[in-house]
Amino acid sequence: MVLEDSYIKLKINGLLNLEALSKEYQIPKEEIIKFHNQHCKIGEILPLYLPKYVPFLYLPKKNYENRNSEFVKSNALQYPIVVSQKKYGVIIKYLHSNTQIHFEVDIKRNGHLVEINKGKNYINNAEVENIIEKLFEKAEQAIYPLKISVDKKGSFSKIENEKEIKERWEEEYFPKLKEYYVGETAEEILKKMDLTFRNLKSKQIYFSQSVFYKVFFLPVYQSYSDYSKSGSVDFYFANIQSNKCFDLKYTLDKKYTRGNKIALRISGNEADDEWVKKAEKGNVNWLYKFQKDTHDLFSITGSVSTFDIGKELKIEVQIFEI
């Protein structure tokens, strides 16, 4: 007696492709036919070599479940709504200037509210030493903790604690920095920073031009029909103080990675400039990995590049959960 829970009925659309099914479910073709014929109705019996239209194919349940455990269950990435707290290591390499910056960030998620705390910067594996770099780093600390809201796709939407940051700057950071850093250059920098912190919302461009914020808050939480989607993104290159637009293709892997993560591949090329046709164009290649059950971000690796007067400007990014 054959138990019904030992097999599944797989719906077949179009012509039965035994070759493809054999590879997908790791069963020899002859065994597929033999197993099917043992469980099917008389009118559904398959010959050994001739393809045939059948509404269903009977397969061993064990093979079906093993195969399904390898495949992503949905072609949609849902924004993680669970409360979570994670730490990420961030490495940004500017290959054109042989400069590497790394730091750590703490990310607390509570629905669409995200709180960010950023650690100190290390340049080429050393703490910053230049006076101006130290000034920028100390001033940047006034931003954190930064509380923002994100939209359903995961994009940076709004600064939620702007008033708190402004007060922190005015009452704590600005007076101390003004007292410690003296000189014409420092005064000019602090004056510009003061204007920024007093109206941070209008200066949100600071975040859109940040490599970390651009990549970390890319709108990846979407539905990917046929496991792919087209899009575009602007990316800021500080060396030339210019935004470059890239045409993107998002591709969601159908299978989980070896580490049981969901993989999203983003690739694309620099879009044509409306006025100037460039002989050489930059490109984007990023790999995002997400936790299987929660869709929390696990890692981002990849690069983005452009060309300026024949020289490639390339930035490599690594963001990983630690």
Side-chain angles (χ1 to χ4, degrees):
M1 180 179 178
V2 178
L3 299 176
E4 288 191 7
D5 63 0
S6 67
Y7 66 83
I8 60 95
K9 290 175 67 176
L10 181 70
K11 187 176 181 180
I12 302 298
N13 295 313
L15 190 67
L16 178 62
N17 188 334
L18 282 174
E19 189 76 36
L21 287 170
S22 175
K23 290 180 180 179
E24 189 170 340
Y25 291 95
Q26 299 294 302
I27 315 173
K29 290 186 290 183
E30 294 78 8
E31 288 189 22
I32 291 178
I33 295 172
K34 182 179 178 181
F35 187 90
H36 172 86
N37 288 343
Q38 286 177 342
H39 298 81
C40 70
K41 298 176 182 178
I42 293 177
E44 297 171 336
I45 290 178
L46 291 174
L48 186 58
Y49 299 107
L50 296 178
K52 185 178 180 181
Y53 286 101
V54 292
F56 297 97
L57 185 71
Y58 292 77
L59 289 175
K61 189 173 183 179
K62 179 181 177 182
N63 294 75
Y64 177 80
E65 289 177 345
N66 288 344
R67 175 264 188 194
N68 272 9
S69 68
E70 298 176 359
F71 280 74
V72 175
K73 294 179 174 59
S74 170
N75 62 357
L77 278 172
Q78 302 291 338
Y79 179 81
I81 57 173
V82 295
V83 176
S84 67
Q85 182 171 350
K86 296 183 179 295
K87 183 185 289 288
Y88 295 91
V90 181
I91 301 174
I92 302 172
K93 296 180 181 179
Y94 298 87
L95 299 185
H96 45 277
S97 60
N98 294 316
T99 303
Q100 174 183 293
I101 298 174
H102 80 264
F103 54 88
E104 294 180 356
V105 289
D106 290 302
I107 306 289
K108 294 180 183 178
R109 292 187 189 270
N110 188 351
H112 289 272
L113 181 65
V114 180
E115 181 178 319
I116 304 165
N117 274 286
K118 179 178 174 293
K120 63 169 61 177
N121 292 323
Y122 292 85
I123 299 179
N124 294 335
N125 296 316
E127 293 188 28
V128 296
E129 296 180 353
N130 182 285
I131 297 276
I132 300 303
E133 289 175 345
K134 285 185 176 181
L135 171 56
F136 274 108
E137 182 171 67
K138 289 183 182 297
E140 183 191 45
Q141 292 171 6
I143 296 173
Y144 302 99
L146 172 67
K147 297 177 183 178
I148 67 169
S149 54
V150 297
D151 62 22
K152 63 181 180 180
K153 293 181 180 179
S155 290
F156 192 121
S157 180
K158 180 185 175 185
I159 300 171
E160 296 291 343
N161 64 331
E162 182 187 4
K163 183 180 177 183
E164 176 187 317
I165 294 171
K166 181 182 176 183
E167 289 175 354
R168 191 157 57 227
W169 168 257
E170 292 177 345
E171 297 172 9
E172 181 181 350
Y173 282 85
F174 185 54
K176 289 181 180 178
L177 291 172
K178 194 174 181 181
E179 180 181 342
Y180 188 83
Y181 292 93
V182 295
E184 188 176 337
T185 302
E187 286 180 10
E188 189 63 30
I189 292 171
L190 284 170
K191 188 184 294 184
K192 291 179 179 179
M193 287 182 173
D194 190 40
L195 288 173
T196 298
F197 278 101
R198 288 179 185 277
N199 194 3
L200 195 61
K201 188 175 182 180
S202 68
K203 303 295 183 181
Q204 201 159 304
I205 190 171
Y206 166 85
F207 299 103
S208 68
Q209 291 180 348
S210 160
V211 177
F212 167 73
Y213 282 96
K214 174 63 71 171
V215 176
F216 196 88
F217 292 102
L218 204 67
V220 293
Y221 292 103
Q222 303 187 49
S223 293
Y224 297 92
S225 56
D226 297 324
Y227 291 88
S228 66
K229 196 165 195 170
S230 297
S232 64
V233 66
D234 287 330
F235 201 92
Y236 183 75
F237 290 86
N239 293 65
I240 53 177
Q241 298 183 356
S242 177
N243 274 306
K244 298 296 179 182
C245 182
F246 294 83
D247 295 322
L248 301 180
K249 182 180 181 181
Y250 298 77
T251 304
L252 188 67
D253 282 6
K254 294 182 180 180
K255 282 189 173 184
Y256 295 112
T257 67
R258 288 183 179 179
N260 224 19
K261 303 293 187 292
I262 299 171
L264 177 67
R265 302 176 192 276
I266 303 174
S267 60
N269 296 309
E270 194 174 339
D272 288 325
D273 192 292
E274 187 177 355
W275 307 106
V276 181
K277 296 294 181 182
K278 296 177 65 174
E280 296 177 294
K281 295 180 181 179
N283 60 67
V284 163
N285 280 289
W286 290 323
L287 171 61
Y288 283 65
K289 292 182 181 179
F290 304 88
Q291 299 290 357
K292 178 179 178 181
D293 297 322
T294 64
H295 293 188
D296 262 317
L297 179 70
F298 175 71
S299 67
I300 305 170
T301 55
S303 64
V304 58
S305 65
T306 189
F307 284 84
D308 180 53
I309 319 177
K311 180 182 179 181
E312 185 180 29
L313 306 178
K314 188 171 185 178
I315 305 170
E316 287 187 350
V317 179
Q318 297 177 53
I319 301 173
F320 45 91
E321 187 179 330
I322 54 179

